[in-house]
Amino acid sequence: MTKANTGAAAGADAGTDAAAWTVPDDLLARIAERAPGYDAANAFCAEDLEELRAAGYLRIGVPVERGGSGLGLRATAAVQRTLAQAAPATALGLGMHQVWVQAARAVTARGASFLQAVTDHASDDHLLAFGVSEPGNDAVLFDSSTTAEPDGDGGYRFTGTKVFTSLAPAWDVLSVFGKDTSGPEPRLVHGFVLRSDGGVEHLDDWDTLGMRATQSRTTKLHGVHVPADRIVRSLPVGPNQDPLVFGVFAAFELLIASVYVGIAERAITLAVSGVGRRVAADGSLRSQDPDVRRAIADMRGGVDAITLQVDALARSVDEQDDLGARWFPLLVGTKARAVDTAQHVVDEAMRVVGGSAFRSSSELARLARDVRAGQYHPSSRDSAARTLAASVLGPPA
């Protein structure tokens, strides 16, 4: 699909129309076919990116008038669920680009323009990635161990270490943030680095249990210079509800959750197929075993619940519902429940299918490894629990 006809196919802005753009079936099949190879070789999903870029995937959240498909967060979450059913690591890694695009949509919808450059880059098919997570920094967006040194002209030089930098081999634009301690009060400074800037080193250290095709490598920032026109925000240290924080947080939590919903959906499909082929000693199909049927019913019910939660909350972001102080507990709770449910569903699918699922060549075995990455994405289960507790009990003494 060309850049010109992507927008035409989408028609009017499709913020809530999940059918406005979908991964073509033949492309989805090729992505699914490549997934085991990427996992086995611990290789980046380069061919997936190339084909998805050509199909207009990097522009699905870009306004139609800019050559995109105009999808909002709800519709993008639906795309991510579908992509995750074929290749979880591809969906997770490339989903970081969609987080930035949807964050920019949320900021723009709420009357600010400081992330216009994100939309500009996406409209040109530039791949955006996050350089946010840091070793030992559980505060995530609310503090940083990276140094942001002013250059005297409104720009900064960033020095520090980032971890879980998705898309490390392929990004065109990398977000960075660090702490400026030169003034009376420390400030958190956000900006964007271009691949051509230099000063960014990716370590070849991504050798993980699952989600291997993301290649989310450790990144060293060696005084990389970000000029003033690419500095987008300066915020106080600590929790706040700035539009940047809200936009990134909402898009990240819900698009991450969508990937794990997709994994759970695929696990159910594989479980149904597996028990439908397995014959017991008495000649009956395992799918007729009451215990198996109850297990699959519980799996289906759990996935239905988290699908509806993600969908409803993403719609609320798109429609700018005023949820006030409820936003953050709802977002972190939804992400945590989606991950926990997906892991339970995959484990149950492994159990009911039986020993064949334990083979390394089994797709369920790969899902069992991929799904465990969910607990390491912010917000963690413990962090979500603290946020939820504070929302009903107030902050701890």
Side-chain angles (χ1 to χ4, degrees), residues 112-166:
S113 60
F114 57 83
L115 287 184
Q116 180 58 46
V118 168
T119 303
D120 293 341
H121 282 299
S123 70
D124 289 333
D125 281 332
H126 295 162
L127 185 65
L128 293 127
F130 276 86
V132 169
S133 296
E134 298 165 337
N137 178 15
D138 292 334
V140 195
L141 285 172
F142 299 144
D143 202 355
S144 178
S145 58
T146 295
T147 299
E149 181 183 358
D151 66 3
D153 293 317
Y156 286 84
R157 294 188 180 278
F158 293 84
T159 302
T161 299
K162 304 292 185 178
V163 292
F164 294 102
T165 310
S166 298

Side-chain angles (χ1 to χ4, degrees), residues 249 253 327-337 379 384 387-388:
F249 201 80
E253 295 293 272
W327 267 119
F328 287 96
L330 286 169
L331 289 166
V332 299
T334 298
K335 181 267 176 182
R337 285 189 295 275
S379 294
T387 299
L388 287 162

